[in-house]
Amino acid sequence: MQPTLRRKLEALAERRDELERLLADPETIADNDRFRAFSREFAQLEPVATALAAEARARADLAAAEAMRGDPELRELADDEIGAATLRLQELEAELLAQLVPKDVRDEGGLYLEVRAGAGGDEAAIFAGDLLRMYTRYAERQGWKVELESANPGEHGGYKEAVVRIEGRGAYSKLKFESGTHCVKRVPVTEAQGRIHTSTATVAIIPEAEEVDDIAVNPADLKIDTFRSSGAGGQHVNKTESAIRITHVPSGIVVENQTERSQHANRDKAMNRLKAMLLDAEIGKQQAAEAQTRKLQVGSGDRSQRIRTYRYKDNQVTDHRVEGLTLYDLTNIIDGSLDELIDRLTREHQADELARLTGDSA
């Protein structure tokens, strides 16, 4: 490991020790916000300290085994222990390097997931509905809460557009690489001749930020419209204009909410999503300035990049951002079994970040 990276790890371990002392300080305990922030940082740094301690033990084991090698009667045993300790050190070095990958403070939070039909008419809306169902099923398997915020159904099923809020620990870290254009190749249910069509739908992942209340929005920049809800709601539907549409004029961002019975509740939810989108757009600009080329768009809501193709004839899913990432398990994937895809994308992101980190440290 490069000395500069080693020093960074040691600095993180020292910060962890400092946080342990601060968390025991009565002044910190009395300040809920400070205590929560320090606790979160401590939890993020604890794996670094644990891995460094394990590395120290493995080095001691290696030194002891090498010392034993001078005794002819213990040489075979020493060789076995040297091999085990060397392998353990290699594993720990990889683990420690992974800890140096910059943590996104938004990873542990929830998100807004937007799905919109693209090219392909009715089939695109049906595909958008399939994607929404895929993500919903995955979220339910993780034990996350899923709440529909707005929806515009397609004429033959699916959605022209839909927005759900997903709440659960680590939700954003798992789904943040899903933003972009998704492409499907299959025979649509609306196709009488049995021909394969290509349709698209776009996905945007917007992190739900804790600091959303701190974002200042000028009321003069907002155009607020009311309309009648078109979703579930029993007798309430279409009788009162409780649904809210907010347009942020400077950015052109439009958000809607129609899931609540009261106009006030819908307005609050729509404003929270608008603020989250404004914050994410600002963070996206900063990240773009720092890194002009990234294979994995993170949290930008960028719909311009075609990221994945679903080929029903071959039961095949291909992610175009990672060379060789083709899985022949479309049936299960579209049913919400996304773990293998998400794990591969996460590892690719970590590898890219480590390459950048080691390049900066060279």
Side-chain angles (χ1 to χ4, degrees):
M1 186 186 299
Q2 297 172 11
T4 52
L5 297 181
R6 172 69 58 182
R7 286 194 292 272
K8 288 181 181 180
L9 287 166
E10 291 169 350
L12 291 175
E14 290 172 3
R15 173 59 177 167
R16 179 262 179 208
D17 293 341
E18 180 186 12
L19 287 167
E20 188 172 37
R21 292 191 295 271
L22 288 169
L23 286 168
D25 188 325
E27 290 187 9
T28 301
I29 295 171
D31 186 335
N32 288 335
D33 291 340
R34 193 177 185 213
F35 185 82
R36 184 167 57 251
F38 284 168
S39 296
R40 186 184 297 116
E41 187 181 358
F42 179 86
Q44 291 175 344
L45 295 180
E46 182 69 9
V48 176
T50 301
L52 283 173
E55 185 189 48
R57 291 193 297 271
R59 290 191 185 281
D61 292 343
L62 179 60
E66 288 174 339
M68 271 198 313
R69 214 171 173 281
D71 187 334
E73 295 182 0
L74 299 176
R75 183 168 297 171
E76 186 175 347
L77 175 62
D79 286 341
D80 289 341
E81 293 194 5
I82 287 172
T86 301
L87 179 61
R88 178 63 177 148
L89 283 169
Q90 291 172 349
E91 293 172 347
L92 286 167
E93 179 170 326
E95 183 179 333
L96 285 166
L97 285 172
Q99 293 296 331
L100 285 174
V101 173
K103 301 293 190 297
D104 190 332
V105 296
R106 304 172 296 174
D107 274 354
E108 290 301 300
L111 57 96
Y112 295 100
L113 186 151
E114 302 181 1
V115 180
R116 286 181 169 80
D122 292 333
E123 166 64 0
I126 293 170
F127 178 48
D130 291 340
L131 290 177
L132 183 62
R133 176 177 170 273
M134 176 180 78
Y135 292 122
T136 299
R137 291 223 169 168
Y138 175 74
E140 290 170 347
R141 291 176 184 179
Q142 305 303 309
W144 300 335
K145 179 182 176 182
V146 179
E147 182 179 8
L148 183 67
E149 294 233 331
S150 67
N152 183 4
E155 293 180 8
H156 292 85
Y159 295 96
K160 294 179 182 177
E161 60 181 70
V163 179
V164 297
R165 176 173 172 262
I166 298 179
E167 181 182 353
R169 185 173 181 180
Y172 180 68
S173 69
K174 295 288 188 180
L175 294 176
K176 63 183 179 180
F177 301 119
E178 294 302 304
S179 289
T181 297
H182 296 241
C183 176
V184 64
K185 295 180 181 292
R186 66 183 177 187
V187 178
V189 294
T190 55
E191 167 59 48
Q193 304 297 322
R195 293 172 296 186
I196 293 176
H197 285 225
T198 299
S199 303
T200 63
T202 58
V203 174
I205 303 294
I206 310 298
E208 188 178 40
E210 287 186 6
E211 61 269 37
V212 72
D213 290 335
D214 299 331
I215 300 172
V217 178
N218 187 346
D221 291 338
L222 303 179
K223 179 176 179 291
I224 300 176
D225 301 305
T226 60
F227 59 98
R228 293 182 180 182
S229 300
S230 59
Q235 295 180 350
H236 175 72
V237 173
N238 293 329
K239 290 199 173 181
T240 61
E241 293 194 344
S242 61
I244 290 289
R245 180 185 298 111
I246 301 177
T247 303
H248 183 252
V249 177
S251 66
I253 293 174
V254 179
V255 295
E256 294 181 1
N257 202 87
Q258 56 180 295
T259 58
E260 302 299 321
R261 289 182 177 271
S262 79
Q263 189 179 108
H264 179 75
N266 280 324
R267 181 190 173 103
D268 286 346
K269 284 192 169 184
M271 278 300 299
N272 283 339
R273 183 149 57 92
L274 173 63
K275 289 180 178 180
M277 293 176 75
L278 290 171
L279 178 61
D280 186 60
E282 183 60 33
I283 292 174
K285 289 178 184 177
Q286 295 171 4
Q287 290 175 337
E290 295 169 2
Q292 301 249 337
T293 57
R294 288 184 300 163
K295 283 191 284 186
L296 301 180
Q297 298 292 324
V298 181
S300 65
D302 182 8
R303 299 183 179 89
S304 63
Q305 181 187 19
R306 188 180 69 143
I307 65 168
R308 192 175 298 151
T309 297
Y310 305 73
R311 299 176 185 272
Y312 273 70
K313 179 182 178 182
D314 302 313
N315 195 37
Q316 172 186 315
V317 176
T318 297
D319 196 291
H320 305 291
R321 296 165 294 178
V322 180
E323 185 177 355
L325 181 43
T326 295
L327 303 177
Y328 293 89
D329 194 25
L330 183 149
T331 303
N332 288 319
I333 289 171
I334 207 71
D335 194 45
S337 297
L338 297 174
D339 288 321
E340 188 170 359
L341 268 174
I342 288 170
D343 290 346
R344 287 283 299 275
L345 291 168
T346 300
R347 290 199 300 270
E348 184 76 11
H349 171 67
Q350 290 178 338
D352 286 346
E353 289 295 304
L354 280 175
R356 182 183 61 80
L357 190 65
T358 53
D360 290 346
S361 301

